[in-house]
Amino acid sequence: MSERGPMDAPVEGAPLAGAGFAPEAAFLDCVHCGLCHSACPTYVELGTEADSPRGRIHLMHALQDGTLPLDAAAVQHLDLCLGCRGCETACPSGVHYGALIEAARPWIEERYRRPVTTRLRRGLALTILPYPRRLRLALAPLHFLERLGVLAVARTLLRQLPARWRYRASLLPDPLPAPAAVPLETPARGVERTCVQLLVGCVMPELFGDTVRSTLEVLARNGCRILAPADQVCCGALSLHAGDRATAVRLACANVDAFEPRAAGPAIPLVVNASGCGAMMKEYAALLADEPAHAERAARLAARVEDATELLVRLPLAAPRAAAPARRVAYHDPCHLAHAQGVRQPPRALLASLPGVTLVSMADEDLCCGSAGHYNVMHPDLAARLAARKVEAMRASAVDVIATANAGCALQLEAGLRAAGVALRVRHVLDLLADAYRG
Ligand code: SF4
Ligand code: SF4
């Protein structure tokens, strides 16, 4: 580990060890077999033990024991973890890596002062992204420039930049979709088959308005009456993954109140179309276990959460009948859908049911693309390398369309493709379904 620098010293007076963040047994579950290494995107890319799941577990254990100082190198190895949980899927010993890293991050935040530029970037992201009104304000000038045609010119110029900067510039959706307004209630089209609640989310309606509109349309066409409670807020995942557990708990409590059914009756599904949010809400019971006013209701809410693809397969899907040109489609697994929620087949089943679609396999389908919440903003260099790895797999699959079930992954994959100059479209499964219904 490297020496500590003046800008990244532990907070003055804070102990290096002190109260632990995880029970000792949680570390001892790891038998150091290394079977998780090939499933870890940072290990695959960097090849260093400290950037592997086993290395990070060892590192967190040593930090908790106080046998390793909390210095810049230790924090960097843990910061570079995407929280993708690919290692959990691969681990034969059932190590709950996600719970370990989520417990370690707030512990680090309390004890470690980051360089000022990192603090500024994190602060800006966490002050804006989870709050849709602030995000809308921040994006307003870009929408204005888009309307004037200035962004299109800027994008053309940015494509001439060296690859490192091309990727960063490509992270802005092209074109910037109009924000989505989600009504409090959307009626079913035709016969009502069920009533559902919908998590609108924080970033989704502002940055991925098209996918939100597709979600409403596809659910309604499948006989769902959709309720979007007005008081709902960000699920808290962005805050939790950045180590701000207190904010995550506050947001989760607000959602437990907002989604509380107003009348007695059978439990209705709470549908989510972003995999990180779905994974977070399915784990609200653990997050709010120490909140007496919310713990029980959080467990009931968590039991109702379903990814939109799970619900559509369960209904089952009203098959689109329109003829469509033959297309070869490959599917990229969002980490928080495949690894955190264990949802792999429903999106594939939906895609395979679409007229004209032949679903083909692709290398590394469930390896993280580098999106991971705001990871690609905090660690753009490594995120760009991970995106470039995916681009090679997408190119080799020789498909017409790449599908995924998470808008953040779609944005990241498209950024990688644009930076590499590869003309291939990435679409959310719900957008492809909506296209099929529209004929
Ligand atoms: S969560 Fe992902 S990036 Fe982090 S150690 Fe596990 S596999 Fe590697
Ligand atoms: S996390 Fe699991 S797979 Fe990885 S080294 Fe430990 S026991 Fe083996």
Side-chain angles (χ1 to χ4, degrees):
M1 300 291 164
S2 68
E3 292 301 310
R4 219 176 287 149
M7 295 302 291
D8 49 29
V11 176
E12 212 174 310
L16 285 179
F21 53 83
E24 185 70 6
F27 297 109
L28 300 181
D29 283 343
C30 175
V31 296
H32 316 300
C33 64
L35 291 174
C36 51
H37 279 38
S38 60
C40 174
T42 57
Y43 181 78
V44 167
E45 196 56 43
L46 302 171
T48 40
E49 175 69 13
D51 295 300
S52 75
R54 181 175 65 188
R56 290 189 176 113
I57 291 168
H58 186 69
L59 206 154
M60 287 187 274
H61 196 182
L63 287 174
Q64 172 158 297
D65 280 354
T67 52
L68 188 76
L70 187 61
D71 63 10
V75 172
Q76 174 75 352
H77 291 305
L78 295 179
D79 276 359
L80 284 184
C81 169
L82 296 132
C84 68
R85 294 166 67 172
C87 47
E88 280 189 24
T89 300
C91 176
S93 301
V95 172
H96 294 293
Y97 178 88
L100 276 176
I101 191 80
E102 273 174 17
R105 284 185 163 151
W107 187 90
I108 291 171
E109 290 315 299
E110 281 171 16
R111 291 163 174 77
Y112 185 77
R113 189 175 294 278
R114 294 165 190 282
V116 68
T117 48
T118 312
R119 273 185 281 148
L120 273 175
R121 228 174 331 152
R122 281 167 63 93
L124 208 59
L126 294 179
T127 309
I128 294 176
L129 292 178
Y131 305 98
R133 281 196 200 123
R134 296 180 200 172
L135 183 55
R136 184 168 293 196
L137 270 180
L139 290 172
L142 290 177
H143 281 289
F144 180 65
L145 293 175
E146 182 93 284
R147 279 198 297 277
L148 291 181
V150 177
L151 275 193
V153 177
R155 284 188 184 107
T156 311
L157 293 175
L158 289 168
R159 271 184 217 122
Q160 316 311 317
L161 292 173
R164 180 167 185 231
W165 296 101
R166 259 200 328 265
Y167 162 77
R168 291 167 197 232
S170 301
L171 281 173
L172 192 65
D174 181 9
L176 209 52
V182 179
L184 293 180
E185 181 166 345
T186 304
R189 287 203 195 178
V191 178
E192 182 177 318
R193 295 159 80 191
T194 187
C195 177
V196 302
Q197 290 179 319
L198 178 71
L199 175 82
V200 177
C202 50
V203 176
M204 284 299 296
E206 302 306 321
L207 272 176
F208 306 105
D210 291 342
T211 302
V212 173
R213 283 183 281 276
S214 295
T215 305
L216 291 171
E217 180 172 350
V218 170
L219 291 176
R221 281 183 186 263
N222 277 276
C224 298
R225 178 160 59 94
I226 307 150
L227 308 176
D231 297 337
Q232 62 174 292
V233 292
C234 162
C235 69
L238 278 170
S239 306
L240 187 69
H241 297 154
D244 184 358
R245 190 179 174 88
T247 301
V249 166
R250 177 173 59 76
L251 293 169
C253 285
N255 275 333
V256 170
D257 293 337
F259 285 102
E260 183 80 1
R262 298 289 170 246
I268 61 170
L270 197 173
V271 182
V272 183
N273 63 359
S275 53
C277 311
M280 176 80 183
M281 295 183 90
K282 285 182 178 177
E283 293 173 359
Y284 268 6
L287 181 70
L288 301 187
D290 297 330
E291 301 294 316
H294 290 86
E296 244 179 64
R297 290 186 294 139
R300 284 202 295 272
L301 177 148
R304 296 195 289 119
V305 176
E306 272 186 293
D307 186 73
T309 60
E310 286 181 283
L311 174 82
L312 289 166
V313 165
R314 187 168 62 76
L315 278 176
L317 184 80
R321 293 207 173 80
R327 282 170 300 171
R328 286 164 54 85
V329 178
Y331 175 71
H332 161 76
D333 283 289
C335 299
H336 281 92
L337 200 55
H339 301 305
Q341 301 183 52
V343 176
R344 291 169 182 266
Q345 285 316 312
R348 290 181 167 85
L350 295 175
L351 289 169
S353 74
L354 290 179
V357 165
T358 304
L359 193 60
V360 299
S361 58
M362 173 174 70
D364 294 336
E365 282 175 347
D366 67 352
L367 192 74
C368 183
C369 61
S371 172
H374 64 318
Y375 187 94
N376 47 9
V377 177
M378 296 306 298
H379 306 288
D381 289 336
L382 189 49
R385 287 170 64 172
L386 294 170
R389 178 178 285 273
K390 298 297 290 194
V391 168
E392 286 317 308
M394 292 188 279
R395 207 201 302 249
S397 67
V399 292
D400 305 300
V401 180
I402 301 293
T404 187
N406 185 53
C409 302
L411 182 67
Q412 166 77 352
L413 295 174
E414 276 184 347
L417 288 165
R418 278 197 293 271
V422 178
L424 188 57
R425 288 224 55 199
V426 184
R427 306 292 310 281
H428 196 291
V429 173
L430 292 165
D431 289 321
L432 289 172
L433 287 174
D435 284 356
Y437 285 124
R438 291 167 197 150

